[in-house]
Amino acid sequence: MKLASIKKHFIQLELSEEEEKIFLLIADCADELKVKAFLVGGYIRDQLLRRSSKDIDVAVVGSGINLAEIVAEKIHPQPAVAIYKNFGTALLKHKDFEIEFVGTRKESYQKDSRHPIIEDGTLVDDLMRRDFTINALAISLNEEDGGALYDLFGGMEDIKKKIIRTPRDPDITFSDDPLRMMRAIRFASQLNFRIDIETFKSIAKNKERIGIISQERISEELNKILLSEKPSIGFDLLFKCGLLQIIFPELQRLYGVEQVDGKGHKDNFYHTLQVVDNIAERSDDLWLRWAALLHDIAKPDTKRFEKGHGWTFHGHEAVGARKAETIFRKFRLPLNEKMKFVCKMVLLHLRPISLSKEEVTDSAMRRLLFDAGDDLDALLKLCESDITSKNEHKVKHYLRNFELVREKLMEVEEKDKIRHWQPPITGDMIIKIFNRPPGKEIGIIKDAVREAILDGKISNSFEEAYNFMLERAKEMGWVPVIEK
Ligand code: CTP
């Protein structure tokens, strides 16, 4: 295919002043170097979809590194250019923009590797090797035909029709780089696009190839699916093409309804997806969205049918919190406070709901305020999202009830200031007062004091807490060595 024969459109992009300046500069430099330069890839897609993007890819028929260096020289103050000789790429950071310059290339893959053999190629070769038609558009930057959009594979039409489709035979595109199967689903979820039927069939056919992709890259795509406006689109597609069973069997296990004595439980997979969509409407926080995805993860492990009672999932929140940690390890997600937060959300996710069902005491409210601490708002959002039913009236009714719980919690908090409260007696104090080494017993006394205050048995004063501690210690035969 000759460049001249490619379908060309002249399009109007909505560029900021800064973008216009940068592109004119690149065009001047490319003309000076007598090389052809094109905007390519995701930047054009996002421009056409009016999504803002600060990552700009420039493909150069020639050396991307040379062009980047000359462009950098003409910017004041001169930005640093990071050069990756092995990849033949150069990265220039200017203001908010990251501009990557790369020579147009041709790639050929071997069966057992996702590392291609790379050679210099034409613009056509370069566009041909790309994953989806919507990512295979190029816009000329040279003065000669600046602004011309080169569309080899009908990418413009696919953007209009909202379709994800591979430019070549999808079996080749996915076999070359199986991560693209995840990318197809991620783009469908992020952009609310459909996946072309042949492309989707090919994902189902090639799904096992995902095995050669590193866990980190898979998790990165899962995170992007979770961060999309309606994450259920992505997870449902993962399920339907069979990738979910390979990469996330723990989630797939939630699928299905078992019947005993004519009684079924709800399908926990689709319930979970609904909860994730609900939380996405309330929060952009990735980790709260992970908590929503994992909140019922242990339901299959704890499921029982109790005669006369029906289906129960006793303890699924505690088992689920442990499972969430295992999943974080497997997915190589951060094992820091983010993971602790997700485990805490899974562990506590039933607590606020239970407060809406019974005649609730202040002490139950205080206990939840104490246990949730700073994460109370997140927990309440998760619980609201967990209210799902086909019957909209029911959902509205439960949400109204839940609003009362929220109000009551705020009232108790206003009164008792429990969220940032620390019990007046610490472990260190107990060690010193009784001259005992740190150990289990210290914890028992400390917790007993805290519980007595939360239960309202004693007031939240140092005096009463101190006396309570003495009594509790006396039961264990301990005598204070320091007077108050
Ligand atoms: N690309 C590809 N196959 C991949 C990854 C990328 O063909 N596995 C191509 C696509 O043309 C893509 C471009 O390289 O548009 C740039 O890749 P990248 O920056 O990873 O993706 P974007 O499309 O820009 O989207 P995002 O930043 O959301 O990942």
Side-chain angles (χ1 to χ4, degrees):
M1 202 182 314
K2 286 248 166 51
L3 197 54
S5 65
I6 297 170
K7 202 161 152 198
K8 227 171 25 168
H9 308 260
F10 280 86
I11 53 155
Q12 202 65 42
L13 296 182
E14 278 185 13
L15 300 180
S16 66
E17 217 174 288
E18 197 55 48
E19 283 166 316
E20 237 177 76
K21 258 207 256 170
I22 298 172
F23 296 156
L24 283 176
L25 177 62
I26 298 174
D28 279 350
C29 296
D31 284 338
E32 192 182 312
L33 270 180
K34 297 198 172 25
V35 291
K36 288 207 149 281
F38 301 88
L39 291 171
V40 285
Y43 177 78
I44 301 181
R45 176 200 69 222
D46 287 342
Q47 268 287 338
L48 294 170
L49 290 168
R50 304 285 181 250
R51 300 169 88 231
S52 97
S53 170
K54 302 283 179 200
D55 289 338
I56 300 172
D57 287 324
V58 177
V60 184
V61 188
S63 163
I65 297 177
N66 287 353
L67 181 58
E69 282 175 333
I70 291 192
V71 170
E73 276 171 20
K74 300 201 173 170
I75 297 176
H76 300 289
Q78 195 173 328
V81 180
I83 293 175
Y84 305 94
K85 268 230 164 75
N86 290 349
F87 299 101
T89 64
L91 184 68
L92 188 158
K93 289 189 188 177
H94 175 56
K95 302 206 166 152
D96 294 348
F97 297 99
E98 294 207 351
I99 313 169
E100 185 158 4
F101 293 80
V102 55
T104 46
R105 60 201 200 189
K106 199 176 183 168
E107 288 179 351
S108 45
Y109 285 82
Q110 284 152 336
K111 206 159 177 4
D112 296 319
S113 166
R114 63 174 301 272
H115 301 295
I117 298 167
I118 298 173
E119 301 159 80
D120 290 346
T122 63
L123 177 72
V124 175
D125 292 330
D126 195 274
L127 296 180
M128 191 106 88
R129 72 177 174 84
R130 289 176 184 267
D131 51 4
F132 306 113
T133 59
I134 61 168
N135 291 341
L137 296 165
I139 293 181
S140 165
L141 286 172
N142 297 81
E143 192 174 349
E144 184 192 25
D145 63 345
L149 178 127
Y150 291 90
D151 182 4
L152 274 76
F153 308 104
M156 280 292 271
E157 192 64 17
D158 286 347
I159 285 183
K160 258 190 229 140
K161 290 189 179 153
K162 297 175 157 244
I163 290 179
I164 309 288
R165 192 165 54 86
T166 57
R168 293 169 298 161
D169 175 351
D171 284 348
I172 296 174
T173 302
F174 292 136
S175 170
D176 278 358
D177 179 358
L179 181 71
R180 290 168 171 170
M181 299 189 283
M182 295 287 300
R183 281 172 62 88
I185 290 173
R186 182 259 287 189
F187 282 123
S189 199
Q190 261 181 343
L191 306 175
N192 197 6
F193 275 31
R194 272 186 314 109
I195 299 180
D196 158 76
I197 183 82
E198 292 309 319
T199 300
F200 193 68
K201 275 189 201 159
S202 173
I203 296 178
K205 181 170 150 199
N206 290 287
K207 59 180 191 272
E208 301 293 341
R209 293 270 297 158
I210 199 70
I212 66 166
I213 300 297
S214 75
Q215 185 59 61
E216 284 83 353
R217 305 190 75 175
I218 292 174
S219 300
E220 210 177 298
E221 295 301 326
L222 284 177
N223 283 344
K224 288 184 178 172
I225 292 174
L226 264 178
L227 284 173
S228 54
E229 211 174 297
K230 204 169 171 222
S232 63
I233 297 177
F235 285 103
D236 195 30
L237 287 169
L238 284 173
F239 171 68
K240 289 190 169 131
C241 72
L243 274 172
L244 194 71
Q245 177 58 33
I246 300 170
I247 62 168
F248 204 164
E250 302 87 345
L251 188 61
Q252 169 114 11
R253 264 186 87 204
L254 297 183
Y255 174 77
V257 176
E258 209 176 320
Q259 298 272 352
V260 174
D261 295 347
K263 277 194 180 164
H265 54 78
K266 64 178 154 193
D267 180 314
N268 287 306
F269 177 67
Y270 283 109
H271 162 70
T272 293
L273 295 197
Q274 182 64 56
V275 177
V276 174
D277 282 351
N278 291 348
I279 203 96
E281 285 178 10
R282 292 170 167 85
S283 166
D284 289 335
D285 184 89
L286 174 64
W287 308 108
L288 186 53
R289 293 183 180 200
W290 265 106
L293 189 68
L294 299 179
H295 78 287
D296 277 347
I297 200 72
K299 275 202 165 169
D301 310 81
T302 53
K303 183 162 87 173
R304 301 267 176 286
F305 186 80
E306 290 173 11
K307 280 241 172 268
H309 192 70
W311 292 100
T312 64
F313 304 90
H314 291 310
H316 76 272
E317 67 282 16
V319 181
R322 287 197 296 277
K323 234 177 147 178
E325 181 170 342
T326 314
I327 288 170
F328 260 59
R329 285 183 196 287
K330 170 179 138 173
F331 282 143
R332 301 201 198 285
L333 292 167
L335 304 177
N336 52 18
E337 74 281 0
K338 308 292 184 207
M339 180 187 78
K340 284 196 196 130
F341 166 78
V342 172
C343 295
K344 178 174 169 184
M345 290 295 107
V346 176
L347 181 67
L348 297 180
H349 81 268
L350 296 175
R351 294 269 298 277
I353 290 283
S354 72
L355 296 183
S356 68
K357 283 181 187 151
E358 11 178 303
E359 193 42 53
V360 191
T361 59
D362 278 9
S363 95
M365 294 276 176
R366 277 199 293 272
R367 199 171 295 279
L368 180 63
L369 286 164
F370 179 74
D371 288 341
D374 275 344
D375 300 319
L376 182 74
D377 291 333
L379 180 65
L380 295 181
K381 280 183 184 158
L382 175 59
C383 289
E384 278 169 352
S385 304
D386 199 10
I387 299 171
T388 68
S389 160
K390 289 203 181 76
N391 182 336
E392 264 183 49
H393 292 295
K394 266 193 186 170
V395 173
K396 281 206 179 114
H397 172 73
Y398 289 139
L399 279 174
R400 259 198 312 273
N401 272 359
F402 195 72
E403 196 44 45
L404 298 179
V405 175
R406 191 187 273 273
E407 281 167 20
K408 192 101 198 285
L409 277 165
M410 293 310 152
E411 270 169 35
V412 175
E413 169 62 15
E414 189 76 5
K415 193 159 50 93
D416 297 349
K417 302 271 179 290
I418 293 291
R419 274 167 84 175
H420 301 109
W421 172 73
Q422 287 301 328
I425 300 289
T426 67
D428 269 356
M429 287 180 196
I430 303 170
I431 289 170
K432 286 200 185 106
I433 293 166
F434 296 98
N435 191 25
R436 296 271 171 172
K440 217 166 119 191
E441 283 109 338
I442 304 289
I444 293 173
I445 297 177
K446 191 184 81 175
D447 291 351
V449 175
R450 186 194 66 211
E451 293 301 293
I453 297 173
L454 289 173
D455 279 345
K457 283 188 196 151
I458 56 172
S459 75
N460 179 21
S461 70
F462 181 76
E463 194 69 23
E464 286 198 31
Y466 190 88
N467 290 336
F468 187 87
M469 169 196 73
L470 288 183
E471 269 172 43
R472 190 71 186 77
K474 201 169 159 195
E475 286 167 21
M476 290 160 65
W478 288 15
V479 184
V481 295
I482 300 176
E483 287 300 316
K484 190 168 28 154

